[in-house]
Each structure stands twice: as C-alpha cells, then as structure tokens.
Amino acid sequence: MSEPADGKLAINYETCTGCGLCVLACPVDVIRMDAATAKPAIAYPRDCQVCYLCEDDCPTHSISLSHDISNSRRYSTYDEFGLDITWPK
Amino acid sequence: MEGRAGMDILETDVLIIGGGFAGCWAALRAADLKATVTLVDKAYVSRSGASTMSGGITTCPLDSDDLDIWAEEFVVRGGYMCDQRWTYQLLERQRERIKDYIRWGVPISRNADGSIRRFASRGMVNVRGMQYQPKVAMRELRRQITARGARILDRLFVTELLTADGEWPTRTGIAGAVGFDVYTGRFVVIKAKRTIVSTGMIAMKGTHRVDNDCGDGAAMAFRAGGRLVDMEFTFGGTFNVLMKKFDFPSYNVAVAHGARLINARGERFMQQYDPQRLERSELSHVVAAFAKEIIDGRGPVYVDLRHVDDSYWSDIAKLHRGGSILLTDHVPDPKSNPLPIEPTWGLWASGRSGLQIDLGARTNLCGLLAAGSVAKNDATGTHASAGSPTAFCKVSGWHAGETAATESRQSQHPVISRDVLMMLQEQALAPLHRTPTRKTADDLHDDLARLEASVVNGMILNADKLTRMLDTTEAVLDAGRASRASDLHDLVKLHEARNVATCSGVVYRCALDRTESREQFFREDFPLADPTWFCWHGATLAADGKVVFDRQGFPTEGIRFAPQLPDAGGLGPIGAIVRGEHEALVHA
Ligand SMILES: Cc1cc2nc3c(=O)[nH]c(=O)nc-3n(C[C@H](O)[C@H](O)[C@H](O)COP(=O)(O)OP(=O)(O)OC[C@H]3O[C@@H](n4cnc5c(N)ncnc54)[C@H](O)[C@@H]3O)c2cc1C
Ligand code: SF4
Ligand code: SF4
C-alpha cells in the first residue's frame, strides 16, 4: 500500500540557496517553502512520485532521490504468482 | 475582483482548466485571437501532468508525406471506430505544430545530416514519430503563453464546473468553474464565456507517476451533464515497473530503439502473437501476451536492452538529469542483463475514451469544450499508437482555443446566484471542518488502486467482477462524503479520490453495459464481437442520478476508408491471446 517516502528524498541544506525552484517543480505539492528557515521543506513525503522534476530543476544539485517507487500503489504480478525475478544464468 | 469575505470572483472570456500540452496550446491559440485567457492548474504550468512526464515521441508528418497512407493506418488499426475527418485534421494540423517546435528551438533528435530522425511509431508500420524533449517544450509553451498576456493561476485546484442555471446536471450550459488555492485555501470563482477542460488522463493515483491526472475534469463534466464516450476502453496499460520497484522510462521509446521482451526461457514471445510488429504491437496485445506467458508458467518477463541502438542511451539520458534508473548502479548493467519488467492494467485513458468533442472541440454542453487526453481522440479510435496522444493534445487544444475565443465574442457572462456560489464553497471546503473519520483520503486512494492490483485479473472481466468493482467505487464515494481533510493538501487528495471513484464508476458501468468483446476490452462472459456494438457508446448523468447509455453510429458521409468489419462472432484480440487462439491473429 502507499508507503511513506521518508528518506527517499533528501535536500542538502548546506548547498541549497532557497531559490524555491523545487517547490514550483513538484507537481504533487510534496515540497513547501518553510517561512521560518527560508528553505524548502519536505512537507508531504508520502506523496512523492519519484518523478525527478525537483532534482532536475535544482540549480545547485542539492536534491537526491533514491529511485524506489515510494508512493507506489502498484502491485507486482510476480508476487501474485510467487515468481522469482532473478534472470536465469 | 474581491467578492464576499473568503471568495475571489474573476471574469475571463476563456477559462482553461489544466495546463498540459492541450491546455497550453488552447491558451496560446485563444490569446492569439485576442480573447482574455485564464489558464489554471493545480500544480505549476510546465511542471505538471502527463505532458511533462511523457516519453517525448510525437507523430511527425512532414510536408513530403502522403497523409492518405498515414490516415488509413490510423483508421484501420483503430477498428474504423473514429471520425475520419478528425484523422485528417490531426495529421494536417500536427505538421504545423511541429514547425512551431522547430521555430522555438525545442530540441528534436536528428540524423547526422541534420534532418529529423523519424522511426515507425509503436503500434504502426507506416506512421512515423520523432523524439523531442517534452520538458523543454512545456517550459517554452509557458513562456509563449505569458508573452501573449494570458493569465496563469498556478496551484489552483478546480473542484466543480459552474453551471449557468445552478443545476447539476445543467439544462443550460457551463459558465466557468470554482476551486481553491492550494496554499491559502482561498475560494475562487472564475466566470467564463467559454470553458475548456484539459485536465489530462483518467487514471488512479500511484500507478503511473502522473498522480495529478485523476480524471478531475471528466468527473466534473460528467456531474454537470457532459457526455462521456467509450469509457470501457479506458482500460489500458503499459510496461513501466522494473524489478518490481523501479520506474521503467518509456516503453514506447525503448521499443522504438529495438528493445525486446523475453520470457524466462529466453524466448522472444511476441513472435508468437504479432510476428510483424513484435514488441511494437498494440500495447493491449503485448500486455495480454505478458499475461498469457505468466498464466502458462513462462514468466517472469524481461526487457532485453542488449540489442538497442546507441541513440537509445543518449535519448534517455536527456529525459532527465539523473538520466533514468537504467544509467545508475541500482540495477544490473542493462547492456548485458535482461531486467524483469511488468505492466500495469487499469484506468489509462490516453484518448480511447473521454468527453466527446466535435471538430471544433465542443462537448455536448453549451459553453464547454474539451481538449487533450480528457477527451475522446476521434482521430485514432480505439488505438493509441506511440506519439498520437500528444499530437491530439496539440491539435485539439489548438481548435478548442480557436472555437472558444471566437464564440466568446458573441456571448455574455450569465448571472450566477449568490446562494449557488455559497453552496459550491461549502462543498469544496467542508471536509476541512469534519471530525476525523475511519477512512482518510489515502485510504480511499488505496481502496481504488486495489481494483487494478492484478494485471492478469484485470484484463479478463466478467459481470460479477465488474459489479464488485462498482461496489467499491460506490463505497469510496460514500466514505468520502464523511471523510475529514487534515489540511489543504489532504483536501486536494480527497476531491481527487471522489473524482477517481466517479470516473471508475462510469467505466465499470459502461463495461457492464457492453455485452461483447473487442479491441482491448475483454469480457469472458461475452467473449465474441457483436456488430451492433460498432458505434460510439455514450454515458450521461440524468437528473434523477441514473446513468443513461446511448449508441451512435460513426459518420458515413464522404469518408475515405469504408469500414471492413471483423467477422461477427469473432473472438476479440485479448480473448484470442489469453485463450491461446491467437493463431488467427497472427495470420489476420
Ligand atoms: C509516462 C508517460 C509517457 C508518455 N509518453 C508519451 C509519448 O512518448 N508520446 C505520446 O504521444 N504520448 C505519451 N504519453 C501520453 C501523453 O503524455 C498524454 O496523453 C498527454 O501528455 C496528455 O496531455 P494533456 O494536456 O491532456 O494532460 P496533462 O499533460 O496530464 O495535463 C493535465 C493538467 O491538468 C491539471 N489538472 C488536473 N486536474 C485539475 C484540477 N482539478 N484543477 C486544476 N488543474 C488540474 C494537472 O495538474 C495537469 O497539469 C505518455 C504518458 C505518460 C504518463
Ligand atoms: S520527485 Fe517529483 S514528486 Fe517527488 S518531490 Fe520531487 S518533484 Fe515532487
Ligand atoms: S531548487 Fe535546489 S537550491 Fe533551490 S530551493 Fe530547491 S533545493 Fe534549494
């Protein structure tokens, strides 16, 4: 079921300039500007769809994504049929 | 304009809901024709929707191409279930839109001599596509729209269409829309002389990495009396899950470069099912073949990228800066290892279903137009080849903008009563003030997504299954009426759950009504094609809350390609594949 994406998306606040481009980029409103720190905050990690738009648009390369389908409501046919997915050598 | 406390009231000639390719081209055209234009999006126009996320293949007719050959392939592969005038309009106008991309400097993949590199689109033999960079195209569209003085309202979630008579369904027509600012919660009324819905695909959240496309526009239009057609053809899928957990970047792009699918025995199984087009066959055929391989114990299925051409690796590197999962060390080197892949199967419209529009992009409702993947693509019928969805977005958007701007010159804003606006505001924001309930918005999306959990199960439908699926959508609608939204972000998701449930409910009802099988739609209790279903299948909401179905024949006057219909009583392609009777398909 939908899983929290905590840890799958990270912002490096050392290099982040607070330009806000990642906030604009996120289609599903995961990232919000934190008024107190003037830096982006990962407000709704569960909804991250790992689309890379924020990572692509960040001018300082401060965002990293772990690639796992974090919010996945997808189900694997291989689990349903109990199939091992390793390529037979 | 500032209205009553807590409400902004704006006026515009043309309102466009949803800023993907379709909405942006509509805005561009309407602004060129000097209409006042307001384009709204729940996210940020140019960084949202399927358009931004798409693989970047688009149908590419050039001046030197004989369009008759292209049109014929679209019409025939779409089972003649289209409006052939739309097919020609699509191809002729797409030529012009490609010239716009070239003029704006959108990067397009080229041959060594500088000509556009074209290839046979997935699903087709004669029709050619090209590869460009969709994110750059979207950014350029935003620039072009802004330069023309159109107003863009980002992060505005539209909850309902405004009807001229304050009735849903309406007897008079559409007069704009209402919604709220996702950051501030401010309720916004936009009165418009013409409204264009371009809210994208009808899909579930969490299956395609385009979580904004939940069928909002189709659901809103349906509640207002809009006619949806061929909703049972919404079922579709693509191969997008790698190693059970990663997102596979664009199947269409991969197979255009020579990617293969192999089963656990190393066999290129599509040779069995479609020896001519192989992995480039209709996606529904490839997904059905996948299901058959799994059922018969030859799974898993692997994508084999050992034979792709070099340009594949450079094309996917350009799709985003991280360069796709295939270029990282999260997966075994795809240049030497086949990787397990699987498809989704469920709500995935891409033009095979949706709001029906005429050649000017008008819907059945006065004042309402539609464009892009929320609309039925009558140029290609039941078949969406790689590249035709985005071509349709451009062309239907262009026509919607043109019609809306022209018609708005002769119309006035209707007067909407204060009570109606208050009622809409209450409906939009009420979940914020409810007490916590058992089901959250996330739970509702989970319940809905579970309906498309199994690809194998989901392809093979029957009345029992569909009735159970329909019950779930009804339960979600019921639970949603009591659910609390913890904040504005959650409120968006709650409205989205209602819209997904509304659209999927219509899909399952239409599927129950259709007592035959054809194209990608397969019912094991009605496995054969029935010629009386060679028609558009409409669904409209009546005033008493019932769904009314209709059937309309395709245009026959002046059409170029006379329908060659499949044999009455023939097994549809999905049925043939899953029952192992696909020999007939191979030789068809
Ligand atoms: C991963 C992927 C790859 C694809 N690859 C290709 C390809 O290579 N070639 C091809 O031709 N087609 C491809 N398609 C299909 C194609 O991308 C779509 O058909 C097309 O982009 C749809 O454009 P659109 O303008 O209709 O909708 P979208 O681009 O989805 O835009 C809809 C917009 O409406 C907004 N919206 C929705 N609801 C609301 C609301 N309630 N209030 C306010 N705003 C709202 C959304 O935020 C979104 O920005 C692909 C699709 C996907 C998902
Ligand atoms: S990867 Fe996409 S969904 Fe996730 S935070 Fe970035 S932009 Fe948002
Ligand atoms: S785009 Fe990058 S630099 Fe700008 S606010 Fe986001 S993380 Fe910081």
Side-chain angles (χ1 to χ4, degrees):
Chain A
M1 284 286 70
S2 55
E3 287 165 34
D6 308 276
K8 296 188 176 172
L9 170 70
I11 297 173
N12 179 350
Y13 290 109
E14 302 277 301
T15 52
C16 165
T17 59
C19 70
L21 286 177
C22 55
V23 180
L24 293 185
C26 181
V28 284
D29 188 27
V30 167
I31 313 176
R32 289 274 181 108
M33 213 58 182
D34 182 338
T37 62
K39 291 277 168 90
I42 303 168
Y44 301 101
R46 171 188 282 258
D47 293 325
C48 174
Q49 55 179 2
V50 195
C51 65
Y52 310 105
L53 287 175
C54 56
E55 190 191 57
D56 276 1
D57 281 358
C58 175
T60 59
H61 299 247
S62 302
I63 298 184
S64 52
L65 276 153
S66 82
H67 288 283
D68 290 24
I69 303 169
S70 54
N71 71 333
S72 186
R73 293 184 168 93
R74 301 181 212 198
Y75 302 76
S76 175
T77 303
Y78 299 134
D79 289 340
E80 184 187 345
F81 283 78
L83 290 173
D84 173 9
I85 59 170
T86 4
W87 171 243
K89 288 279 171 199
Chain B
M1 183 174 75
E2 176 74 2
R4 281 176 319 281
M7 190 184 290
D8 288 345
I9 302 180
L10 314 173
E11 286 192 353
T12 186
D13 290 340
V14 178
L15 167 65
I16 301 161
I17 309 168
F21 284 136
C24 286
W25 283 99
L28 201 78
R29 184 65 184 144
D32 270 345
L33 295 175
K34 306 282 179 266
T36 60
V37 175
T38 305
L39 171 63
V40 304
D41 201 290
K42 64 168 112 169
Y44 181 79
V45 173
S46 79
R47 284 293 173 272
S48 171
S51 301
T52 308
M53 302 305 301
S54 63
I57 293 177
T58 200
T59 309
C60 182
L62 300 177
D63 289 341
S64 51
D65 293 310
D66 177 355
L67 293 187
D68 286 339
I69 297 171
W70 293 45
E72 182 172 20
E73 191 168 22
F74 274 128
V75 171
V76 173
R77 298 230 181 258
Y80 298 87
M81 298 178 77
C82 63
D83 180 341
Q84 296 180 21
R85 294 168 306 169
W86 242 120
T87 314
Y88 277 94
Q89 174 162 286
L90 178 88
L91 292 170
E92 282 157 13
R93 290 305 170 92
Q94 169 74 350
R95 268 182 177 158
E96 297 164 21
R97 300 291 73 78
I98 288 181
K99 288 176 193 162
D100 289 331
Y101 276 0
I102 294 170
R103 213 174 46 245
W104 296 341
V106 173
I108 296 170
S109 191
R110 305 232 172 213
N111 295 312
D113 65 0
S115 58
I116 295 179
R117 186 171 64 79
R118 299 196 298 167
F119 42 84
S121 300
R122 200 246 334 112
M124 306 304 242
V125 175
N126 299 315
V127 169
R128 305 275 139 199
M130 67 168 200
Q131 176 78 48
Y132 67 104
Q133 290 181 31
K135 284 176 193 152
V136 180
M138 281 304 304
R139 181 161 279 158
E140 183 59 25
L141 277 162
R142 184 176 178 114
R143 216 176 62 79
Q144 295 285 342
I145 294 164
T146 314
R148 284 165 174 79
R151 170 166 55 187
I152 299 181
L153 301 177
D154 298 305
R155 305 283 170 194
L156 189 98
F157 182 85
V158 175
T159 51
E160 213 69 81
L161 294 174
L162 198 55
T163 59
D165 56 1
E167 301 284 337
W168 284 262
T170 177
R171 278 171 302 230
T172 48
I174 301 302
V178 300
F180 61 88
D181 184 301
V182 177
Y183 289 169
T184 64
R186 186 88 179 156
F187 186 71
V188 181
V189 176
I190 307 171
K191 294 185 182 174
K193 294 177 183 167
R194 287 292 177 272
T195 303
I196 301 171
V197 273
S198 44
T199 50
M201 285 191 292
I202 299 167
M204 301 257 182
K205 241 175 155 51
T207 46
H208 296 113
R209 219 172 55 162
V210 195
D211 280 2
N212 276 359
D213 288 6
C214 308
D216 292 340
M220 281 183 247
F222 182 73
R223 290 194 286 269
R227 179 166 172 269
L228 296 167
V229 292
D230 298 344
M231 289 296 278
E232 59 276 37
F233 290 122
T234 304
F235 288 108
T238 185
F239 286 81
N240 63 357
V241 187
L242 199 68
M243 297 173 66
K244 297 206 290 194
K245 64 175 190 167
F246 299 121
D247 200 274
F248 182 71
S250 189
Y251 177 78
N252 286 342
V253 173
V255 297
H257 289 273
R260 300 176 182 177
L261 293 176
I262 55 178
N263 63 22
R265 297 179 188 165
E267 297 159 343
R268 194 177 183 187
F269 58 87
M270 282 310 294
Q271 273 159 348
Q272 299 278 321
Y273 305 97
D274 187 343
Q276 187 184 21
R277 290 174 299 165
L278 299 151
E279 293 82 2
R280 295 179 41 262
S281 188
E282 267 86 340
L283 266 170
S284 57
H285 296 197
V286 190
V287 177
F290 166 91
K292 180 69 177 157
E293 293 300 301
I294 302 295
I295 294 166
D296 288 357
R298 292 186 294 272
V301 162
Y302 301 81
V303 60
D304 186 353
L305 297 166
R306 291 175 296 184
H307 319 276
V308 296
D309 55 59
D310 287 344
S311 60
Y312 176 64
W313 304 108
S314 54
D315 277 354
I316 60 162
K318 285 182 205 132
L319 280 178
H320 66 82
R321 195 165 68 197
S324 118
I325 188 74
L326 294 171
L327 304 176
T328 69
D329 54 12
H330 288 77
V331 301
D333 181 7
K335 291 180 180 165
S336 48
N337 296 282
L339 302 174
I341 193 168
E342 58 192 301
T344 52
W345 188 258
L347 304 193
W348 171 256
S350 257
R352 291 182 306 263
S353 62
L355 283 162
Q356 191 164 39
I357 55 173
D358 67 9
L359 288 162
R362 297 171 198 87
T363 69
N364 64 315
L365 294 178
C366 180
L368 185 71
L369 300 96
S373 52
V374 70
K376 162 86 186 182
N377 178 350
D378 269 326
T380 61
T382 53
H383 175 48
S385 72
S388 63
T390 46
F392 179 67
C393 287
K394 294 190 200 86
V395 176
S396 59
W398 179 267
H399 282 281
E402 184 166 291
T403 308
T406 312
E407 291 184 355
S408 70
R409 289 180 198 141
Q410 286 104 42
S411 42
Q412 304 296 320
H413 291 290
V415 178
I416 312 286
S417 88
R418 178 196 160 85
D419 288 350
V420 167
L421 296 182
M422 301 279 281
M423 184 267 292
L424 289 169
Q425 183 177 27
E426 159 66 18
Q427 273 180 4
L429 304 177
L432 289 169
H433 312 296
R434 293 180 189 144
T435 48
T437 41
R438 205 168 55 83
K439 294 251 177 185
T440 63
D442 275 322
D443 294 332
L444 300 179
H445 283 290
D446 285 349
D447 287 349
L448 289 163
R450 224 175 265 123
L451 292 170
E452 27 192 73
S454 167
V455 171
V456 175
N457 192 40
M459 284 204 103
I460 306 169
L461 299 166
N462 59 44
D464 281 350
K465 232 185 243 184
L466 286 164
T467 308
R468 280 199 306 275
M469 289 158 92
L470 188 55
D471 289 345
T472 302
T473 65
E474 292 294 308
V476 166
L477 285 173
D478 271 349
R481 278 188 269 273
S483 285
R484 176 188 147 88
S486 52
D487 60 10
L488 292 166
H489 178 88
D490 206 37
L491 184 63
V492 168
K493 293 202 290 185
L494 196 57
H495 282 290
E496 289 172 335
R498 176 192 181 211
N499 291 331
V500 176
T502 302
C503 289
S504 44
V506 180
V507 169
Y508 305 148
R509 280 195 170 84
C510 289
L512 279 163
D513 195 53
R514 188 176 203 104
T515 46
E516 65 139 16
S517 297
R518 75 168 69 212
E519 303 300 329
Q520 76 267 37
F521 180 69
F522 177 59
R523 278 186 65 164
E524 57 185 351
D525 46 353
F526 293 97
L528 306 182
D530 171 350
T532 62
W533 280 101
F534 179 70
C535 58
W536 280 305
H537 185 206
T540 323
L541 185 66
D544 63 2
K546 293 218 169 68
V547 179
V548 180
F549 301 107
D550 67 75
R551 297 193 209 180
Q552 263 179 33
F554 300 105
T556 49
E557 289 294 302
I559 58 166
R560 194 168 175 98
F561 310 106
Q564 311 263 315
L565 300 183
D567 294 342
L571 197 56
I574 307 305
I577 291 170
V578 298
R579 289 177 170 202
E581 294 174 34
H582 50 269
E583 278 297 295
L585 280 183
V586 171
H587 301 295

